[in-house]
Amino acid sequence: MKTQLQKARAGVVTPEMHTAAEGEPISAEDLCSLIARGRAVLPKNAVHDFASIKAIGEGLKTKVNANLGTSGECADMAAEEKKLAAALRAGADSIMDLSTGGDLDQLRWMFLKKSPVMLGTVPIYGLAAKMLRHGRPMHDITPEELFREIELQCSQGVDYITVHCGITTQSVQRLEHFKRIMPCVSRGGSMHMQWIRANGQENPLYQDFDALLDIAEKYDVTLSLGDGFRPGCIEDSLDGAQVEELMILAELAGRAFERGVQVMIEGPGHVPLNEIKTQIQLQKKLCRNAPFYILGPLPTDIAAGYDHITSAIGGAVAGAAGADFLCYVTPAEHLALPAEDDVYQGVMAARIAGHIADLSKGLPGSADKDRKMAHCRQTLDWEGMIKSALDPDLVRSRMQIAEDGRTCSMCGKLCAVKTSEETQALQAES
Amino acid sequence: MKTQLQKARAGVVTPEMHTAAEGEPISAEDLCSLIARGRAVLPKNAVHDFASIKAIGEGLKTKVNANLGTSGECADMAAEEKKLAAALRAGADSIMDLSTGGDLDQLRWMFLKKSPVMLGTVPIYGLAAKMLRHGRPMHDITPEELFREIELQCSQGVDYITVHCGITTQSVQRLEHFKRIMPCVSRGGSMHMQWIRANGQENPLYQDFDALLDIAEKYDVTLSLGDGFRPGCIEDSLDGAQVEELMILAELAGRAFERGVQVMIEGPGHVPLNEIKTQIQLQKKLCRNAPFYILGPLPTDIAAGYDHITSAIGGAVAGAAGADFLCYVTPAEHLALPAEDDVYQGVMAARIAGHIADLSKGLPGSADKDRKMAHCRQTLDWEGMIKSALDPDLVRSRMQIAEDGRTCSMCGKLCAVKTSEETQALQAES
């Protein structure tokens, strides 16, 4: 038995499951049962040791991932270390290294060593960066090179990988039948599509899915089945290309599950608010409740510069409907590679969305901090308010308390809580 | 006929209705019909001239209000002018002057003169500030003083006023039967509650509601029936005090409507995500589809410092469910009086929420800009993207375009749109 899934199926509650169940509203035994049924995953590479082991899926707190990494235009190791620190300070549960510029291996090692949380990658990005450097077109990648890159990254200790196995001859054909405004906005997806068309062959990740499962099983790497045809604008949401790909991912998720390989599904993208619940329900039903890892969704296309807010709106609604894992979106989305503060703001916005989703689902214990905050507000206990806040440092730095220590500068002496309190006193007298 | 409602009922399509229908997906005639049925309001004081006249309600774009004004601790006219400019730059449809510090009349005149959008106030704030200044307790206010202050502000040109008519002997009693964590978080609400308890008399605004209607009719001031018992934490949402008050407001809204006085209802507050739709439906049903003006809702209590995001999440969902008018919440909420940048961020977040709600409801034309943005993204038309954005200046300042003018720094040469485009070219060749 190599994977957490295989162990869970055999009824073995692993030390990792015990660690992951800490801080969750369920026991390690319940987590084991969820993993055994494919409803939760515990991304942890067998060769990667890290402190903050967490699980993702049904009955668990909504988790948040921060995408970090260089691009060809911005490749600075020190900047990545700072961004990593910002993501962790903001409370990210997972980091993805999406680097495509600079020394990719060195960057990956840095993340593997310095991050106390799970690390994900998109192996084809590393390969594409190498092709670019050698002046070779993307469609020259051989299947052997692709699997070799995946095995390399898995052997280094990456905990989960995004693989665009659903970009196939069939889904590419389906794409042609639907008039999209934006055919493909996924970097990995567009590379695979180009490969298929240029070579007239099937996507190796689909064709040789068993080879992928061999690698994933060997290192217990969780497969995150990527959505290369995720809608890139709200009008393209829930079209044939997207649904076709989702059905392919559902088939492959079933095969991974049978093999004992942990698997989650990636999801949209740009989706109008009124379609988010349908998106989640469709994924959950087709994929037999495999954990859903979503990017966004963004319920409008026009809010560039504020897409952490747009995404928090979509993410809260999606999480309430059952999405398990939120990939953050930063204020830099659609504009530039995120800087340190973008990373911090992005994680915070996604954490707010995840927490609101947990409250909405009635996740046991999720309202404890909110209840504490309400009591502190009612008793004008400023220090307690700071401690109950999602971001105590920010609250401490911005809170303006009057000299009497009884009111804040927002309402001053006309504080409703104070007035109500005085009324209680009046009544007690009478 | 004095009010827009009276004119609408008589089938008169006023010049104000024509102006307000511009930029809306409905005609002035349709707007007239909505106003006549009490499903929309057109807040415009008969003695107040301003450029940007807008209506609020069913079938119209979701509108956004920015609360401005001083507090006893921060009273600076110049700062208020700057905040006004920031709110307008960010696209606010309405301003409320909630000043309680400094020269209140002078402040109100400034807002009335300099704001091209509708102005709302909470008359009891001004009165409370005067009482404080004279060292008189709040419950010493006489009914005459209260009505005199309301008439004063209406005569000056205020377009809508928040009046806490639903804080009555009955709703205060109901409050006692429900154990709330935070009995009353509304400033106006807490003052009326204190008044009722200290004097053992009924709220004059409820008792003499007809006197209020006289004033409102005279100047065509829209009544915004305030929710003094709005939940101040998510656990207090949808309790007896809140629903009791809402039923009282529904009765009074009916009386105002019969009288020909325009009326809208104010709503929560702190509400968990899964209760927002119920809140909106309950208000719409009880109040016979009177426009709903909401503060938040905030679906978590712990995100102080980020409550513009929290509120955008709640506001988008509420708007999609039928809320018509979003009162912004700024990043300073629960912490301090908002500063200039807080105002800007607050309006922007609320506008995003409103737009997402409009898209979700399928409001005709609401997706035009999103579609344009998507086309510009697909053609890598950076200038077009800037123009289609909600905040073009911010996008222009943050967008990092590579030297070739074909990619941005986020994905660099590995741009999915570019790769897809090359694939199209490959296919065209073959």
Side-chain angles (χ1 to χ4, degrees):
Chain A
M1 289 189 299
K2 289 161 189 161
T3 70
Q4 296 289 329
L5 172 53
Q6 289 163 344
K7 290 169 192 166
R9 266 205 203 127
V12 180
V13 182
T14 66
E16 290 83 2
M17 294 174 200
H18 279 285
T19 307
E22 285 168 22
E24 296 283 2
I26 63 171
S27 67
E29 288 68 27
D30 289 339
L31 176 57
C32 180
S33 157
L34 286 164
I35 293 172
R37 288 178 291 149
R39 290 172 178 236
V41 292
L42 193 160
K44 189 199 162 296
N45 189 310
V47 305
H48 182 214
D49 285 321
F50 58 101
S52 186
I53 294 170
K54 291 190 181 173
I56 296 161
E58 200 177 292
L60 303 166
K61 286 185 192 164
T62 305
K63 303 300 185 304
V64 167
N65 171 68
N67 284 343
L68 303 178
T70 59
S71 73
E73 280 60 25
C74 309
D76 177 349
M77 172 77 82
E80 290 307 315
E81 290 196 36
K82 277 188 187 165
K83 281 156 62 179
L84 171 62
L88 296 171
R89 214 163 51 237
D93 301 297
S94 158
I95 298 291
M96 282 193 92
D97 171 15
L98 304 187
S99 292
T100 58
D103 185 333
L104 302 187
D105 279 296
Q106 213 189 326
L107 281 156
R108 201 175 307 119
W109 282 121
M110 183 278 285
F111 283 117
L112 282 166
K113 269 193 190 169
K114 300 215 167 167
S115 166
V117 302
M118 65 180 89
L119 187 77
T121 62
V122 188
I124 201 169
Y125 285 7
L127 193 53
K130 286 178 198 170
M131 299 297 283
L132 261 185
R133 207 164 298 162
H134 295 115
R136 289 172 58 197
M138 237 41 83
H139 50 263
D140 262 16
I141 293 174
T142 66
E144 294 67 36
E145 285 174 317
L146 181 55
F147 284 106
R148 206 183 308 135
E149 178 71 26
I150 292 171
E151 171 118 31
L152 169 75
Q153 298 196 14
C154 291
S155 73
Q156 290 172 335
V158 164
D159 303 297
Y160 66 95
I161 55 173
T162 295
V163 273
H164 299 88
C165 309
I167 302 293
T168 66
T169 313
Q170 199 177 350
S171 61
V172 168
Q173 269 172 10
R174 187 73 73 181
L175 177 70
E176 284 164 18
H177 292 300
F178 283 78
K179 289 236 173 293
R180 279 192 155 184
I181 299 181
M182 306 196 75
C184 183
V185 298
S186 151
R187 281 190 280 180
S190 68
M191 292 171 201
H192 282 289
M193 181 163 68
Q194 187 175 92
W195 195 95
I196 292 169
R197 280 178 164 165
N199 295 294
Q201 289 176 38
E202 188 50 280
N203 179 351
L205 296 179
Y206 180 79
Q207 187 77 33
D208 299 320
F209 188 64
D210 283 326
L212 189 59
L213 293 180
D214 289 340
I215 301 171
E217 185 191 10
K218 185 171 168 190
Y219 300 99
D220 195 4
V221 168
T222 299
L223 295 184
S224 187
L225 300 181
D227 55 335
F229 287 151
R230 64 172 173 264
C233 61
I234 56 172
E235 190 159 314
D236 291 341
S237 168
L238 274 181
D239 79 336
Q242 196 211 332
V243 177
E244 177 75 43
E245 184 185 25
L246 183 59
M247 289 192 293
I248 296 168
L249 298 185
E251 275 176 43
L252 297 177
R255 283 172 60 187
F257 178 72
E258 289 309 317
R259 177 67 178 270
V261 167
Q262 300 192 85
V263 64
M264 56 187 171
I265 307 290
E266 294 187 13
H270 294 239
V271 179
L273 197 67
N274 56 314
E275 292 179 14
I276 291 177
K277 204 174 164 182
T278 303
Q279 289 269 13
I280 308 296
Q281 195 168 36
L282 190 63
Q283 180 274 341
K284 285 281 174 181
K285 203 69 201 283
L286 284 172
C287 302
R288 297 182 194 174
N289 299 296
F292 202 13
Y293 179 21
I294 58 169
L295 176 64
L298 300 175
T300 175
D301 303 332
I302 65 168
Y306 302 92
D307 276 335
H308 60 312
I309 297 179
T310 314
S311 162
I313 294 171
V317 173
D324 308 282
F325 190 21
L326 307 181
C327 183
Y328 83 169
V329 170
T330 79
E333 184 74 20
H334 296 112
L335 300 174
L337 199 70
E340 193 182 342
D341 188 56
D342 294 319
V343 168
Y344 191 85
Q345 299 302 327
V347 172
M348 275 298 171
R351 281 189 65 203
I352 290 168
H355 179 63
I356 286 172
D358 291 345
L359 290 169
S360 180
K361 288 189 288 193
L363 202 76
S366 60
D368 292 352
K369 237 179 159 182
D370 291 71
R371 199 174 298 113
K372 184 147 188 295
M373 174 65 92
H375 280 290
C376 292
R377 283 188 175 141
Q378 183 56 28
T379 53
L380 300 173
D381 170 3
W382 311 104
E383 202 53 42
M385 289 184 221
I386 291 169
K387 282 187 191 138
S388 315
L390 195 70
D391 190 345
D393 293 341
L394 179 66
V395 170
R396 191 180 296 279
S397 72
R398 289 223 55 184
M399 198 174 248
Q400 290 174 6
I401 315 297
E403 279 177 24
D404 64 359
R406 299 291 296 147
T407 55
C408 79
S409 74
M410 188 163 187
C411 305
K413 291 200 170 57
L414 299 175
C415 167
V417 171
K418 220 173 114 264
T419 308
S420 305
E421 209 180 50
E422 287 164 8
T423 306
Q424 286 303 121
L426 271 177
Q427 211 165 14
E429 279 168 34
S430 68
Chain B
M1 288 189 299
K2 291 164 189 159
T3 71
Q4 296 289 329
L5 172 53
Q6 289 162 343
K7 291 169 191 166
R9 268 209 201 123
V12 180
V13 182
T14 65
E16 290 82 4
M17 293 174 200
H18 280 284
T19 307
E22 286 168 21
E24 295 283 3
I26 64 170
S27 67
E29 289 69 25
D30 290 339
L31 175 57
C32 181
S33 156
L34 286 164
I35 294 172
R37 288 178 291 151
R39 290 174 178 234
V41 292
L42 194 161
K44 190 201 161 294
N45 189 310
V47 305
H48 182 213
D49 286 321
F50 57 102
S52 186
I53 294 171
K54 292 190 180 174
I56 296 161
E58 199 177 293
L60 303 166
K61 286 184 192 166
T62 306
K63 303 301 186 300
V64 168
N65 170 67
N67 284 343
L68 302 178
T70 58
S71 74
E73 278 62 24
C74 309
D76 176 350
M77 172 77 83
E80 291 306 314
E81 291 197 35
K82 277 189 188 166
K83 280 158 61 180
L84 171 62
L88 296 170
R89 213 163 52 237
D93 302 297
S94 159
I95 299 291
M96 283 193 91
D97 171 15
L98 305 187
S99 292
T100 57
D103 185 333
L104 301 186
D105 279 296
Q106 211 188 330
L107 281 156
R108 201 174 308 118
W109 282 121
M110 184 277 286
F111 284 116
L112 281 166
K113 269 193 187 167
K114 301 214 166 167
S115 166
V117 302
M118 65 180 89
L119 187 77
T121 61
V122 188
I124 201 167
Y125 285 7
L127 193 52
K130 286 178 198 168
M131 298 297 282
L132 261 185
R133 208 164 297 163
H134 296 115
R136 289 173 56 198
M138 238 38 84
H139 49 262
D140 262 16
I141 294 175
T142 66
E144 295 66 35
E145 285 173 316
L146 182 55
F147 284 107
R148 206 183 308 136
E149 177 71 26
I150 292 171
E151 171 118 32
L152 170 74
Q153 298 197 15
C154 290
S155 73
Q156 290 172 335
V158 164
D159 304 297
Y160 66 95
I161 54 172
T162 295
V163 273
H164 299 88
C165 310
I167 302 292
T168 67
T169 312
Q170 198 176 354
S171 61
V172 168
Q173 267 172 8
R174 185 73 72 182
L175 176 70
E176 283 164 18
H177 291 299
F178 282 79
K179 289 237 172 293
R180 278 192 156 186
I181 299 181
M182 305 196 75
C184 183
V185 298
S186 151
R187 281 189 279 179
S190 68
M191 291 171 203
H192 282 289
M193 182 163 67
Q194 187 173 93
W195 195 94
I196 291 169
R197 281 180 162 165
N199 295 295
Q201 289 175 37
E202 188 51 281
N203 179 352
L205 297 179
Y206 179 79
Q207 186 78 34
D208 299 320
F209 189 63
D210 284 326
L212 189 59
L213 293 180
D214 290 340
I215 301 171
E217 186 191 11
K218 183 170 169 191
Y219 300 99
D220 195 5
V221 167
T222 300
L223 295 184
S224 187
L225 300 181
D227 54 336
F229 287 150
R230 64 171 173 268
C233 60
I234 55 173
E235 190 159 314
D236 290 341
S237 167
L238 274 181
D239 79 337
Q242 195 210 331
V243 176
E244 178 75 43
E245 183 185 25
L246 183 59
M247 289 191 295
I248 295 167
L249 298 185
E251 276 176 43
L252 298 177
R255 283 172 61 188
F257 178 73
E258 290 309 317
R259 177 68 179 269
V261 168
Q262 301 192 86
V263 65
M264 55 187 171
I265 307 290
E266 294 187 13
H270 293 238
V271 179
L273 196 67
N274 56 313
E275 291 179 14
I276 291 178
K277 204 174 163 181
T278 303
Q279 289 268 13
I280 309 296
Q281 196 169 35
L282 190 64
Q283 180 275 341
K284 285 282 173 181
K285 204 67 201 285
L286 283 172
C287 303
R288 296 181 195 175
N289 299 297
F292 201 14
Y293 179 20
I294 58 169
L295 175 64
L298 299 175
T300 175
D301 304 331
I302 65 168
Y306 302 93
D307 275 335
H308 60 311
I309 296 179
T310 313
S311 161
I313 293 172
V317 172
D324 307 283
F325 191 21
L326 307 181
C327 184
Y328 85 169
V329 171
T330 79
E333 184 74 20
H334 296 112
L335 300 175
L337 200 71
E340 193 183 342
D341 188 56
D342 294 320
V343 168
Y344 191 85
Q345 300 301 327
V347 173
M348 276 296 172
R351 283 190 64 204
I352 290 168
H355 178 63
I356 286 172
D358 291 344
L359 290 169
S360 180
K361 288 189 287 193
L363 202 75
S366 59
D368 292 352
K369 238 180 159 183
D370 290 73
R371 200 173 297 113
K372 185 148 187 295
M373 175 64 93
H375 280 290
C376 292
R377 283 187 174 142
Q378 182 57 27
T379 53
L380 302 172
D381 170 2
W382 311 103
E383 202 52 43
M385 290 184 222
I386 291 168
K387 282 186 192 139
S388 316
L390 195 69
D391 190 345
D393 293 340
L394 179 66
V395 170
R396 192 181 295 281
S397 73
R398 288 223 55 184
M399 196 174 248
Q400 290 174 5
I401 316 297
E403 281 177 23
D404 64 359
R406 300 290 295 145
T407 55
C408 80
S409 75
M410 187 164 187
C411 305
K413 291 199 170 60
L414 299 175
C415 167
V417 171
K418 219 173 115 264
T419 307
S420 306
E421 209 179 50
E422 287 164 8
T423 306
Q424 286 303 122
L426 270 176
Q427 212 165 18
E429 279 169 32
S430 67

